Amino acid sequence: MNIARVIVDVPTSQTNRPFDYKIPDSLIGVVAPGMRVIIPFGPRKIMGFVLEVTDQTSFTRLKKIQDVMDLTPVLTHELIQLGRWISETTLCFYVSAYQAMLPQLLKAKYEKELWLLAEHEDLTEDLERLFGGRGVVPYEEIEASSLSYSQIQKRIHEGLVEVHYKVKGKETKKKETYIVPGIPSHRLEEIYHDTPKQAKKQRLILAFFIEYPDEILQKKLLEELKTTRASLKPLLDKEILKTVYKEVYRDPYQQREYERTTPFPLTEEQQEAIEPVLASIEDKRHVPFLLHGVTGSGKTEVYLQSIQQVLDDGREAIVLVPEIALTPQMVERFKGRFGSRVAVLHSALSAGEKFDEWRKIQRKEVQVVVGARSAIFAPFENIGIIIIDEEHESSYKQEDYPRYHARDVAIERGKYHHCPVVLGSATPTLESFARAQKDVYKLLTLKKRMNNASMPEVELVDMRKELHAGNRSMFSIQLREKIEDRIQKGEQVVLFLNRRGYSTFVMCRDCGEVKECPHCDIALTYHRKAERLKCHYCSHEEPMPTICPSCESDTIRYFGTGTQKVEESLNQLIPDARIIRMDVDTTRRKGAHERLLTKFADKEADILLGTQMIAKGLDFGNVTLVGVLAADSLLHLPDFRSSEKTFQLLTQVSGRAGRHTLPGEVIVQSYTPEHYSIEMASQYDFESFYKKEMKMRKTFRYPPYYFLTLLTVSHPNHLYTMDVTQKIVQFLRDHLSDQAIILGPTPSPLTRIKDRYRYQCMIKYRNEPTLHKVMNRLFQIYEDAIQQKDLQLTIDFQPYQLM
DNA sequence: AGCACGCCGACT
DNA sequence: GTCGGCGTGCTC
């Protein structure tokens, strides 16, 4: 067993297969499947993942593994299989799938160095200058020097210098230094007596350890005895004392005290919902559940008690929460119940913090992980339940390579571990609800809110009528009056602005010219603070023009509604309102999100004004009014899910009001209040919406009736892009069944991004068993063009974003 | 990816 | 003739 099968860290189709390596004697028994190793590959050294250890190979001469990067495997047997499944179902490279499962910090980094071989007298003048007395220089320095790479090449051939490759990215654990006695305590006393009186500090330290022979943090010891390392050093040198390094975790939640909660008694409805879940945990049976519960119906308590059962059984739990809802409030609920048995993984953590949380999972020091999408890869080995809260959230689908959906991964893992997967939502996706109707998922329903609270009354306001009545502000009379009323009563208001499709663009009032990004076909967004225009797709930036670049008129202005603008007009309308604005700008700094919410919870403000990020998971008892400023801004996006998204968003936002004892009220402003998604959301009528939307999907042949696959072709040359897309469409027509509907080629909704033209082709199908094979063929056919001509093909099976 | 090998044009 | 352009193929 001295041969390792390794996936190399070179994401190309030619290297997307295992390579065999010999395990050197010194590493036999150390190298194990799931470990990262450093291997020679061609002339360089790179990282690789060990898939398996065998004694078979079809090669006569194997290179040796140079070193291991981990002492324990970073991928479990299950994750190795899962990675293969991901790469095959999403068409990505094996390495990319494995990389996606690990924290960023474990990604290998490469460095090249130039090593001097020759003696000084043999050096050419150019090398003398480059090295300047040193033996090694970073490869990048060549660029900065007057030497060209070809000259260096020559020197390498002459044997004067050599290129060395370094792989970085070993585990970086944060360590703390502890001091312990290196000898038994009776000997300490002897030494104490033998130590001369003038060595005052040394005697002090010895006396300390005679009294407390336990290990102590070096920093603490020095502080306590008011001394420095200088007096510690001789004792360490004589091995009377020893240093011990201990790994410490960068725990962002370490400082915080969580109030412990105990299970609440469940309502009858909750009891009914939890029983099948508990049963499947007990029977170790994989059952996918869809928990459809209205906002405030106590889904979380069902999760918590299911997890409790899993922990009592000695198993582990994964809870996925949308990034945006991973608020301190949410974390608190899990930490409050399970304390230090919980690890939290989300994007606001630093790379080091993420790694440390991951380490706790790997070492089985925690049994529960609460996290965003990528937490689905938590390296647990004995999973008892996987929960996906807010199942409908689009953030569970990764939008770049590998394009996996956390829900699919969860179900795949659930099958492996024979455990239930619970998908929870107040507004499930049509896909999931349809599966529940067909009994693919088992449906559990919570119809009542906790504490018998009623759903807040929703009032639709037709903004067209407001406009005709002469109200040109963005607040209807009703909304404005209600806000004033709540402020007077000392109650709080949440105002929601859906920013997408409502960004502030710049237009000339004279000629109608809209300022667009020179690299992307999209309007630039005006940023007030910097007085600049920015592109949200590439990072292009330019100053706000004072005159129109096309007609030189000075009437160029910005339009649209941002949270800043809403805040301003709110200030004018109700001057004594205290407003907290939450958007990307005000929450960028670490912890800002939490600070603002705490402020609001402490009633230091009357109004919380924000975008998407305030739609989820917030729970403030004093909020009795929710205002939605522009309900239909999502509705007009070129996306077949726009109605569904509108319905979901309105339902979620409405759920923010009246969660406790005070009754809540919601005002929804819209220019199309008669649209079924808005009307049905205002009545909390999911079933009717589901039926109506399903009909639409059937008519237009969209999911869940049809599967979709989106193929995007991009290249800097417009004609070439169109041409390739056309050929691809033809190829697909020739190779897929005549049941498949192939749409295209069409320009992508964003036709040009970063100076690349983008065309797409959409495939709608019900059953195409050869689809993956055909797509693979397609990649093979265009492999050369992709490598050499800068062509890009992206394939997204079951896309969420159609852009 | 990154590198070597190899075959063509334009220069000391 | 040779230096250097980049198309082609390989990495256990």
Side-chain angles (χ1 to χ4, degrees):
Chain A
M1 300 293 263
N2 62 346
I3 289 158
R5 208 143 281 161
V6 177
I7 291 291
V8 298
D9 185 17
V10 183
T12 60
S13 44
Q14 296 158 68
T15 52
N16 192 36
R17 60 193 166 83
F19 285 77
D20 291 352
Y21 283 88
K22 191 169 155 26
I23 303 171
D25 292 346
S26 60
L27 290 177
I28 285 179
V30 177
V31 172
M35 258 184 203
R36 298 176 308 150
V37 288
I38 297 172
I39 39 163
F41 193 66
R44 59 210 170 111
K45 286 182 188 71
I46 57 170
M47 188 273 290
F49 290 102
V50 177
L51 292 189
E52 55 176 323
V53 175
T54 66
D55 46 14
Q56 314 239 314
T57 181
S58 47
F59 282 80
T60 43
R61 284 176 68 188
L62 293 182
K63 286 193 185 172
K64 278 186 197 158
I65 287 179
Q66 188 195 291
D67 203 357
V68 291
M69 291 178 79
D70 308 295
L71 291 174
T72 47
V74 292
L75 297 171
T76 62
H77 172 73
E78 180 214 353
L79 291 179
I80 293 174
Q81 284 184 19
L82 189 68
R84 201 167 80 202
W85 177 82
I86 287 175
S87 69
E88 281 159 10
T89 51
T90 71
L91 287 195
C92 73
F93 303 120
Y94 294 116
V95 238
S96 314
Y98 293 128
Q99 303 272 31
M101 296 178 164
L102 297 173
Q104 264 297 306
L105 226 67
L106 289 184
K107 207 174 157 175
K109 295 182 188 60
Y110 300 99
E111 270 173 29
K112 267 165 85 179
E113 290 169 343
L114 206 58
W115 287 51
L116 197 55
L117 294 178
E119 295 299 319
H120 260 287
E121 49 270 25
D122 299 334
L123 272 191
T124 52
E125 201 193 316
D126 49 0
L127 288 178
E128 189 87 65
R129 222 174 319 125
L130 178 63
F131 280 86
R134 292 172 294 177
V136 184
V137 291
Y139 203 76
E140 295 82 65
E141 267 190 41
I142 300 169
E143 207 170 345
S145 76
S146 54
L147 283 129
S148 70
Y149 285 104
S150 54
Q151 280 169 294
I152 292 292
Q153 216 74 50
K154 220 159 85 189
R155 300 289 175 245
I156 292 169
H157 278 286
E158 289 166 7
L160 295 175
V161 288
E162 202 173 63
V163 181
H164 278 239
Y165 299 85
K166 262 169 82 178
V167 185
K168 285 207 161 180
K170 285 210 182 176
E171 300 173 357
T172 63
K173 293 167 209 160
K174 194 173 158 189
K175 282 186 190 136
E176 276 178 351
T177 315
Y178 284 78
I179 307 293
V180 277
I183 49 173
S185 59
H186 65 271
R187 291 259 354 247
L188 277 180
E189 281 181 52
E190 279 171 35
I191 290 166
Y192 178 81
H193 292 298
D194 293 348
T195 307
K197 289 239 163 55
Q198 61 267 42
K200 248 164 99 184
K201 289 291 184 187
Q202 282 193 43
R203 287 177 64 114
L204 196 64
I205 293 167
L206 287 168
F208 179 88
F209 277 105
I210 290 163
E211 197 168 346
Y212 310 101
D214 299 330
E215 61 185 22
I216 178 170
L217 200 63
Q218 176 178 282
K219 210 172 96 197
K220 217 167 141 193
L221 175 79
L222 299 179
E223 231 166 68
E224 202 130 308
L225 302 181
K226 296 198 173 49
T227 179
T228 58
R229 233 186 106 76
S231 40
L232 195 58
K233 185 129 192 319
L235 294 170
L236 291 171
D237 287 345
K238 282 179 264 175
E239 291 177 355
I240 298 162
L241 299 178
K242 281 194 307 199
T243 43
V244 178
Y245 297 101
K246 276 198 170 180
E247 181 181 349
V248 287
Y249 295 126
R250 288 154 280 213
D251 185 349
Y253 298 97
Q254 190 177 309
Q255 311 302 334
R256 217 148 321 151
E257 296 261 321
Y258 288 95
E259 204 177 310
R260 289 309 285 253
T261 64
T262 42
F264 294 107
L266 297 177
T267 63
E268 208 173 298
E269 238 188 8
Q270 285 174 318
Q271 192 61 45
E272 244 168 73
I274 202 172
E275 257 156 30
V277 180
L278 296 181
S280 69
I281 293 170
E282 202 171 326
D283 303 348
K284 297 193 168 55
R285 218 160 13 98
H286 167 63
V287 184
F289 291 101
L290 177 64
L291 176 58
H292 178 208
V294 299
T295 53
S297 60
K299 288 189 289 288
T300 311
E301 190 58 34
V302 173
Y303 303 153
L304 290 170
Q305 296 195 19
S306 306
I307 295 169
Q308 187 63 56
Q309 160 113 354
V310 166
L311 297 188
D312 291 346
D313 199 27
R315 289 189 284 163
E316 297 130 357
I318 297 177
V319 185
L320 295 195
V321 170
E323 187 73 71
I324 213 158
L326 210 51
T327 56
Q329 276 189 357
M330 194 74 189
V331 172
E332 203 174 318
R333 297 196 66 176
F334 286 89
K335 287 248 178 183
R337 190 66 61 85
F338 305 115
S340 59
R341 304 180 78 179
V342 181
V344 179
L345 280 171
H346 65 101
S347 68
L349 302 180
S350 71
E353 285 167 345
K354 271 186 221 162
F355 172 69
D356 287 348
E357 294 295 295
W358 181 87
R359 285 276 297 165
K360 287 190 211 162
I361 301 164
Q362 194 203 20
R363 299 173 132 204
K364 312 288 166 350
E365 291 170 358
V366 292
Q367 289 76 41
V368 181
V369 52
V370 179
R373 181 181 56 230
S374 63
I376 194 60
F377 298 117
F380 282 140
E381 286 172 281
N382 199 7
I383 298 172
I385 192 169
I386 301 175
I387 292 163
I388 302 191
D389 191 31
E390 311 277 4
E391 169 274 335
H392 61 277
E393 267 298 302
S394 58
S395 65
Y396 288 129
K397 171 74 194 274
Q398 174 135 68
E399 285 299 338
D400 42 62
Y401 274 121
R403 295 172 193 273
Y404 65 90
H405 197 300
R407 192 204 296 139
D408 303 335
V409 179
I411 292 195
E412 191 67 15
R413 291 199 79 178
K415 281 183 199 159
Y416 180 93
H417 290 276
H418 309 289
C419 75
V421 174
V422 180
L423 311 174
S425 177
T427 52
T429 53
L430 291 211
E431 283 93 330
S432 294
F433 202 75
R435 276 181 204 148
Q437 299 287 305
K438 290 203 309 197
D439 237 14
V440 179
Y441 296 164
K442 179 134 183 37
L443 184 65
L444 310 168
T445 313
L446 298 176
K447 289 202 160 115
K448 297 194 202 101
R449 289 191 123 185
M450 306 268 286
N451 316 321
N452 277 325
S454 54
M455 292 303 288
E457 196 71 28
V458 180
E459 187 182 342
L460 293 179
V461 178
D462 189 337
M463 289 306 275
R464 292 169 302 195
K465 286 188 190 148
E466 290 285 316
L467 199 64
H468 292 151
N471 177 8
R472 303 192 61 183
S473 84
M474 52 189 103
F475 298 97
S476 58
I477 310 281
Q478 288 100 311
L479 182 57
R480 185 180 155 182
E481 280 174 358
K482 292 248 157 83
I483 294 174
E484 283 170 337
D485 171 64
R486 298 307 142 110
I487 293 177
Q488 238 178 22
K489 285 193 199 149
E491 294 170 5
Q492 289 172 296
V493 180
V494 166
L495 283 184
F496 179 81
L497 176 74
N498 189 22
R499 225 206 341 201
R500 242 194 294 175
Y502 259 80
S503 58
T504 46
F505 59 98
V506 167
M507 187 172 85
C508 170
R509 286 190 157 177
D510 256 359
C511 68
E513 161 102 354
V514 173
K515 207 57 185 110
E516 286 188 346
C517 175
H519 312 286
C520 316
D521 281 337
I522 191 167
L524 290 168
T525 304
Y526 174 67
H527 282 245
R528 161 155 261 181
K529 235 185 202 151
E531 272 285 317
R532 288 174 83 77
L533 299 175
K534 288 180 189 170
C535 174
H536 282 191
Y537 284 86
C538 64
S539 33
H540 175 82
E541 221 181 286
E542 57 183 77
M544 169 78 186
T546 48
I547 54 164
C548 171
S550 86
C551 74
E552 301 191 349
S553 155
D554 60 357
T555 58
I556 188 157
R557 293 290 132 79
Y558 58 88
F559 286 83
T561 312
T563 42
Q564 294 177 20
K565 227 180 138 190
V566 176
E567 187 182 15
E568 272 166 38
S569 64
L570 203 55
N571 269 326
Q572 279 173 12
L573 230 54
I574 313 169
D576 42 340
R578 296 166 302 162
I579 305 163
I580 290 178
R581 177 164 62 91
M582 270 184 77
D583 56 26
V584 225
D585 287 337
T586 61
T587 54
R588 193 168 302 132
R589 291 226 331 271
K590 212 181 163 184
H593 199 264
E594 188 181 350
R595 242 191 335 272
L596 292 175
L597 290 178
T598 314
K599 236 173 115 183
F600 189 65
D602 292 345
K603 305 193 178 124
E604 282 177 45
D606 308 302
I607 300 173
L608 179 66
L609 165 66
T611 51
Q612 242 82 336
M613 64 177 74
I614 62 169
K616 304 241 151 52
L618 303 183
D619 192 353
F620 299 108
N622 198 38
V623 172
T624 55
L625 177 66
V626 168
V628 180
L629 294 177
D632 32 18
S633 59
L634 265 179
L635 221 44
H636 310 298
L637 290 177
D639 181 345
F640 72 92
R641 284 195 180 87
S642 63
S643 301
E644 187 183 352
K645 283 179 181 162
T646 302
F647 181 88
Q648 288 166 350
L649 201 65
L650 289 182
T651 309
Q652 299 286 343
V653 176
S654 304
R656 298 307 114 216
R659 289 177 73 95
H660 296 267
T661 44
L662 297 168
E665 203 175 346
V666 179
I667 291 197
V668 172
Q669 300 188 161
S670 165
Y671 289 91
T672 45
E674 67 279 4
H675 190 279
Y676 64 93
S677 64
I678 295 178
E679 206 175 284
M680 286 165 180
S682 76
Q683 280 152 28
Y684 303 101
D685 192 353
F686 178 79
E687 313 251 317
S688 299
F689 173 77
Y690 171 75
K691 283 188 191 128
K692 170 98 185 164
E693 183 67 12
M694 283 296 270
K695 260 188 212 146
M696 305 287 278
R697 301 286 178 92
K698 194 172 185 177
T699 315
F700 295 105
R701 299 181 179 178
Y702 276 119
Y705 290 99
Y706 278 76
F707 292 111
L708 295 184
T709 289
L710 180 71
L711 198 147
T712 308
V713 179
S714 99
H715 189 269
N717 183 307
H718 196 168
L719 276 175
Y720 180 74
T721 313
M722 277 166 60
D723 188 47
V724 169
T725 318
Q726 179 57 53
K727 283 192 178 117
I728 286 176
V729 166
Q730 195 50 54
F731 179 86
L732 293 174
R733 294 227 161 96
D734 293 345
H735 290 81
L736 291 175
S737 79
D738 46 9
Q739 304 291 307
I741 303 164
I742 298 154
L743 304 172
T746 38
S748 298
L750 291 163
T751 310
R752 193 172 53 132
I753 294 180
K754 294 185 194 176
D755 286 322
R756 299 179 67 91
Y757 289 87
R758 302 160 74 244
Y759 272 70
Q760 64 184 35
C761 144
M762 176 84 79
I763 308 156
K764 293 183 182 179
Y765 59 99
R766 304 201 71 156
N767 184 26
E768 288 295 324
T770 62
L771 185 68
H772 277 80
K773 258 187 218 149
V774 172
M775 290 301 184
N776 261 322
R777 281 270 301 283
L778 209 56
F779 266 101
Q780 273 168 24
I781 294 168
Y782 286 96
E783 201 181 313
D784 288 1
I786 291 168
Q787 254 180 3
Q788 283 144 30
K789 296 201 183 115
D790 199 18
L791 176 75
Q792 257 179 46
L793 292 189
T794 34
I795 292 178
D796 195 344
F797 296 102
Q798 275 62 267
Y800 255 69
Q801 217 103 294
L802 299 184
M803 301 274 182

